[in-house]
Amino acid sequence: MDPINNVDTRQVGRDSLFLLAQVRIAGRDEPVRVKVRNLSAGGMMAEGDARVARGALVTVELRNIGDVEGSVAWVQGNRFGIAFVDEIDPKLARASGVAGNSDFSARNPIPAKAHDKGTPRKI
């Protein structure tokens, strides 16, 4: 057996992180708050008291992304995997939301000062 070809590649393209998300399970009224333990373009691992079964249809509300539809791929204790129907950009969920938020800039403008263009400006 070739050890190079027997490498577990499940972690490729997946980042570990800690985010909170809301999961709505099909057929249930109330969303469940979960911890997002890792996130990739095609899915995520969640931890929480969601009490889901493999194959359950879910909608996950992710920060800076919004609602993402998927299904439960596996369950192990209080952790479970969700396979997304459509791929996402996981970098958006990790972004703080401040740098690209024009509303933040409008509420907190940087005061204009006279500046000599020949010298570096202190920020």
Side-chain angles (χ1 to χ4, degrees):
M1 180 182 298
D2 183 3
I4 298 295
N5 292 327
N6 198 26
V7 176
D8 183 0
T9 59
R10 288 179 296 156
Q11 291 298 332
V12 174
R14 186 175 294 154
D15 292 328
S16 293
L17 68 159
F18 178 77
L19 294 174
L20 293 176
Q22 296 278 10
V23 175
R24 287 188 305 281
I25 303 159
R28 298 191 195 164
D29 295 330
E30 295 297 317
V32 178
R33 178 168 237 137
V34 297
K35 297 172 187 172
V36 179
R37 291 300 186 183
N38 64 47
L39 181 67
S40 70
M44 63 180 259
M45 179 175 67
E47 180 179 354
D49 296 325
R51 305 204 193 272
V52 293
R54 188 171 182 260
L57 299 177
V58 296
T59 302
V60 183
E61 184 182 333
L62 291 169
R63 177 178 75 185
N64 297 333
I65 294 175
D67 289 347
V68 181
E69 294 180 352
S71 63
V72 176
W74 57 267
V75 179
Q76 186 174 30
N78 69 341
R79 292 185 177 198
F80 57 99
I82 296 173
F84 299 144
V85 171
D86 297 310
E87 288 193 349
I88 62 161
D89 182 354
K91 292 177 187 173
L92 292 175
R94 288 189 296 278
S96 67
V98 174
N101 188 342
S102 61
D103 186 44
F104 177 81
S105 299
R107 290 189 321 263
N108 300 289
I110 298 171
K113 293 183 180 179
H115 176 67
D116 177 9
K117 294 184 182 185
T119 60
R121 185 170 63 122
K122 292 183 180 178
I123 298 177

